[in-house]
Amino acid sequence: MNRETYMKSEERGTMMSGKLTLKRLSNLDEAALLDQQFSQHFPWYKSGDYYKECLEENREGKRVTLMAFYEDQLAGCCHLLYESKYPFFQSDKIPEINDLNVFPEFRRKGIASKLFDEIESIAATTSKYIGLGVGLYKDYGNAQMMYGNRGYVMDGKGMTYNNIQVQPGHSVMVDDELLIYLVKELD
């Protein structure tokens, strides 16, 4: 879906398309909703101040958090980080797509693609490139395929663990911190 397909309401920061509404995180109630819903949907998520911190970074212009609502129910969210923790993106000022999550009952409805469409559109206003990191084990298989289909390519820097390049001959844990980073040139 291209940018023109969305009906926009700048004062509310919403983008609507059929049953899907995308909204920028803008207040403490929304941060609390994200915290509550993520703790219900994902056992790995620990309730706390994460989304309050995201809200503050949104207000400071360091991050954009897009919330996806499907038929008025929170379906997931995605972030655009203007200040990546990945050294290559930092040095080249490449914004990073971060923490794309769609709740299981809302998957296979095109929500992740629509979040990406909007995040890429936002990033294109300030950057020629956008990047992301993706895990290397099976749980990330669908994401790996989606990113390739969307035109993301490996950055050529190899694997990282906690944003530090993995050196040949050294062991690392295969977990959510073992990533490969991808980039895409924006139109």
Side-chain angles (χ1 to χ4, degrees), residues 88-153:
F88 173 62
F89 290 176
Q90 283 177 353
S91 65
D92 284 27
K93 297 186 178 10
I94 297 172
E96 178 186 334
I97 296 174
N98 185 263
D99 279 343
L100 167 67
N101 285 291
V102 176
F103 301 147
E105 66 270 28
F106 295 106
R107 292 180 183 159
R108 314 286 312 158
K109 297 181 183 309
I111 295 169
S113 291
K114 288 186 177 40
L115 282 164
F116 260 61
D117 290 344
E118 188 61 24
I119 290 279
E120 289 172 356
S121 180
I122 292 166
T125 64
T126 59
S127 180
K128 184 177 179 179
Y129 296 95
I130 192 167
L132 56 82
V134 65
L136 296 177
Y137 61 92
K138 185 179 178 180
D139 289 1
Y140 290 95
N142 287 335
Q144 293 165 358
M145 291 187 300
M146 178 182 143
Y147 303 155
N149 289 338
R150 290 190 66 90
Y152 287 81
V153 296

Side-chain angles (χ1 to χ4, degrees), residues 9-183:
S9 172
E10 293 303 323
E11 65 277 2
R12 292 183 314 198
T14 59
M15 290 70 50
M16 295 175 282
S17 177
K19 297 178 180 181
L20 179 66
T21 303
L22 302 181
K23 183 180 186 318
R24 289 185 187 213
L25 174 64
S26 63
N27 62 58
L28 285 172
D29 288 340
E30 293 167 349
L33 175 65
L34 284 163
D35 184 67
Q36 184 259 335
Q37 288 295 305
F38 269 76
S39 62
Q40 280 185 0
H41 282 89
F42 299 118
W44 49 260
Y45 179 79
K46 304 297 178 225
S47 185
D49 291 333
Y50 176 69
Y51 287 103
K52 288 179 187 175
E53 293 167 9
C54 291
L55 175 61
E56 188 60 34
E57 288 183 9
N58 275 260
R59 290 175 174 164
E60 294 169 356
K62 295 179 180 179
R63 166 191 306 254
V64 172
T65 302
L66 281 185
M67 303 166 56
F69 291 87
Y70 190 82
E71 296 182 343
D72 296 325
Q73 290 187 313
L74 183 65
C77 78
C78 186
H79 307 272
L80 176 66
L81 305 178
Y82 287 108
E83 298 174 12
S84 174
K85 292 182 175 135
Y86 177 51
F88 173 62
F89 290 176
Q90 283 177 353
S91 65
D92 284 27
K93 297 186 178 10
I94 297 172
E96 178 186 334
I97 296 174
N98 185 263
D99 279 343
L100 167 67
N101 285 291
V102 176
F103 301 147
E105 66 270 28
F106 295 106
R107 292 180 183 159
R108 314 286 312 158
K109 297 181 183 309
I111 295 169
S113 291
K114 288 186 177 40
L115 282 164
F116 260 61
D117 290 344
E118 188 61 24
I119 290 279
E120 289 172 356
S121 180
I122 292 166
T125 64
T126 59
S127 180
K128 184 177 179 179
Y129 296 95
I130 192 167
L132 56 82
V134 65
L136 296 177
Y137 61 92
K138 185 179 178 180
D139 289 1
Y140 290 95
N142 287 335
Q144 293 165 358
M145 291 187 300
M146 178 182 143
Y147 303 155
N149 289 338
R150 290 190 66 90
Y152 287 81
V153 296
M154 289 184 265
D155 70 359
K157 309 291 183 203
M159 291 183 294
T160 66
Y161 191 84
N162 282 329
N163 291 314
I164 298 170
Q165 284 185 329
V166 174
Q167 298 301 314
H170 290 87
S171 297
V172 293
M173 175 74 70
V174 177
D175 62 14
D176 293 338
E177 300 305 321
L178 183 63
L179 304 176
I180 194 145
Y181 282 87
L182 310 171
V183 293

